[in-house]
């Protein structure tokens, strides 16, 4: 039995290059099974560095970290840990190992000695989930940037990990592709048995999570519900962030004396509230 929690205490990290500011400073974070969390923050604020700690890609220098019940500082745990915690990276080109898309998607399963008979069905399902069914016999190198990002996603989904970290996993996708991936994430979240973390520069995407962590200069400076985070103008300004369009509209209305019943996180919610007001 593994659990899907993450527990980080007092994590500090500096990259080995000389004279660089610490990439992480005193990071404390706990995630429960079934949570859907967004990490937001300006470029260089430490989001990816922390995510790479969670699945053991960076060696812990200071502090303690447990992921899915495994002690991340113990190198003997890392192989098993990565089966339970998958990460989709910012740059999909780093993630392909096979000349055929179906082989590439099957790679993780084969590595973990999955029963051979089950592999083709699982691969097909994962490729279908990301909209790449029919591409099985093609080469990853023939895919566009966005399609590569979808293939990288399939390679993680196929393993059915308990924890998935999506590090700007929709950055190269067109609006339709972005919505499809967010839909898949929401579907997984509805099943409540995975811990999902998205790292994103899209306030609209982050607003879909249950909880948002704001990173600023290597520290977590806020941890709360999307409506509380996005209506805190001072916090967003100091972290170099913007709220979603619907919240900007809500705040502008408020400044002009028009109060909506609650802070709308989507344009649809905003439209509903405006209609109710009229
Ligand atoms: N491989 C590396 N070697 C040296 N320094 C690095 C490396 N990767 C990141 N850094 C530094 O660590 C800090 C945190 O970077 P990190 O990539 O974690 O930020 P981020 O919040 O993910 O940013 P972005 O939104 O641009 O992806 C930055 O100051 C960055 O310059
Ligand atoms: Mg990053």
């Amino acid at each position: 039995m593994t659990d899907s929690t993450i527990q980080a205490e007092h994590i500090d990290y500096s990259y080995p290059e000389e004279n660089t500011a610490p990439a992480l400073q005193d990071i404390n974070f706990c995630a429960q099974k079934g949570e859907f969390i967004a990490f937001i923050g300006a470029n260089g604020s430490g989001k990816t560095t922390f995510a790479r700690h969670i699945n053991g890609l960076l060696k812990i220098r200071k502090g303690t970290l447990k992921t899915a019940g495994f002690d991340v500082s113990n190198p003997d745990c890392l192989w098993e840990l990565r089966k339970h915690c998958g990460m989709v990276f910012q740059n999909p080109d780093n993630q392909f190992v096979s000349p055929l898309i179906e082989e590439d998607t099957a790679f993780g399963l084969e590595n973990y000695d999955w029963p051979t008979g089950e592999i083709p069905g699982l691969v097909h399902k994962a490729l279908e989930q990301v909209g790449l069914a029919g591409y099985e016999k093609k080469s990853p190198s023939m895919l566009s940037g966005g399609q590569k990002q979808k293939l990288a996603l399939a390679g993680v989904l196929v393993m059915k990990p308990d924890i998935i970290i999506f590090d700007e996993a929709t950055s190269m996708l067109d609006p339709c592709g972005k919505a499809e991936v967010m839909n898949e994430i929401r579907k997984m979240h509805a099943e409540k048995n995975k811990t999902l973390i998205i790292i994103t520069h899209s306030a609209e995407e982050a607003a879909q999570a249950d909880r948002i962590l704001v990173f600023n200069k290597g520290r977590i400076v806020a941890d709360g519900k999307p409506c509380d985070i996005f209506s805190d103008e001072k916090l967003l300004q100091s972290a170099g962030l913007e709220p979603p369009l619907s919240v900007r509209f809500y705040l502008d209305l408020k400044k002009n004396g028009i109060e909506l019943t609650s802070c709308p996180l989507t344009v649809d919610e905003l439209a509903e509230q405006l209609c109710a007001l009229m």
Side-chain angles (χ1 to χ4, degrees):
M1 243 322 249
T2 56
D3 63 291
S4 299
T5 59
I6 302 163
Q7 274 173 295
E9 281 178 14
H10 307 301
I11 298 284
D12 288 354
Y13 188 82
S14 292
Y15 284 94
E17 281 77 7
E18 275 174 38
N19 302 325
T20 52
L24 296 177
Q25 294 185 70
D26 199 22
I27 297 290
N28 294 285
F29 167 68
C30 187
Q32 303 301 331
K33 180 173 176 164
E35 276 196 289
F36 175 16
I37 301 168
F39 290 178
I40 63 173
N43 292 131
S45 56
K47 306 176 300 292
T48 297
T49 304
F50 182 49
R52 291 167 75 87
H53 273 72
I54 294 174
N55 84 336
L57 284 167
L58 284 174
K59 200 165 178 308
I60 309 236
R61 294 265 172 82
K62 196 158 166 231
T64 57
L65 178 56
K66 259 188 157 187
T67 301
F70 298 97
D71 176 357
V72 184
S73 62
N74 179 356
D76 297 337
C77 290
L78 295 183
W79 178 252
E80 196 58 21
L81 156 68
R82 293 201 191 110
K83 189 163 125 192
H84 296 279
C85 175
M87 183 161 167
V88 190
F89 299 91
Q90 251 165 315
N91 180 357
D93 273 326
N94 300 335
Q95 296 183 61
F96 308 123
V97 288
S98 305
L100 284 185
I101 284 175
E102 63 181 3
E103 284 174 6
D104 199 89
T105 311
F107 182 77
L109 296 172
E110 282 163 358
N111 259 332
Y112 283 99
D113 289 330
W114 212 271
T116 317
E118 290 179 17
I119 294 180
L122 289 170
V123 166
H124 179 73
K125 187 157 177 255
L127 289 173
E128 207 167 44
Q129 242 179 316
V130 300
L132 285 181
Y135 285 75
E136 287 81 353
K137 304 288 177 202
K138 291 195 184 342
S139 158
S141 62
M142 289 171 61
L143 298 178
S144 71
Q147 288 169 325
K148 282 181 183 161
Q149 209 159 30
K150 289 180 173 184
L151 178 59
L153 188 57
V156 170
L157 294 182
V158 78
M159 300 291 297
K160 298 189 188 300
D162 303 314
I163 300 168
I164 311 182
I165 306 170
F166 302 85
D167 190 352
E168 297 189 40
T170 65
S171 58
M172 292 187 190
L173 301 184
D174 59 33
C176 218
K178 280 184 205 286
E180 278 166 20
V181 170
M182 287 308 292
N183 263 341
E184 280 304 322
I185 294 175
R186 271 201 307 273
K187 256 197 248 166
M188 285 189 276
H189 179 48
E191 291 167 12
K192 289 284 174 206
N193 56 1
K194 287 191 195 302
T195 307
L196 303 167
I197 297 176
I198 58 168
I199 299 176
T200 180
H201 287 289
S202 157
E204 276 71 16
E205 284 182 2
Q208 296 181 39
D210 297 332
R211 179 179 161 201
I212 293 180
L213 263 72
V214 182
F215 283 73
N216 192 9
K217 299 187 180 121
R219 293 183 186 274
I220 294 174
V221 293
D223 178 350
K225 288 194 183 122
C227 55
D228 296 332
I229 298 285
F230 283 134
S231 50
D232 188 336
E233 288 180 281
K234 255 193 193 154
L235 165 74
L236 296 185
Q237 207 174 24
S238 66
L241 298 168
E242 287 259 328
L245 178 69
S246 56
V247 178
R248 291 211 300 267
F249 205 93
Y250 161 82
L251 293 170
D252 280 350
L253 286 176
K254 202 169 168 180
K255 275 176 204 153
N256 286 290
I258 302 167
E259 188 95 39
L260 300 180
T261 48
S262 63
C263 173
L265 290 171
T266 63
V267 172
D268 286 351
E269 276 176 40
L270 172 68
E272 256 173 47
Q273 291 210 36
L274 287 175
C275 287
L277 206 65
M278 289 177 212

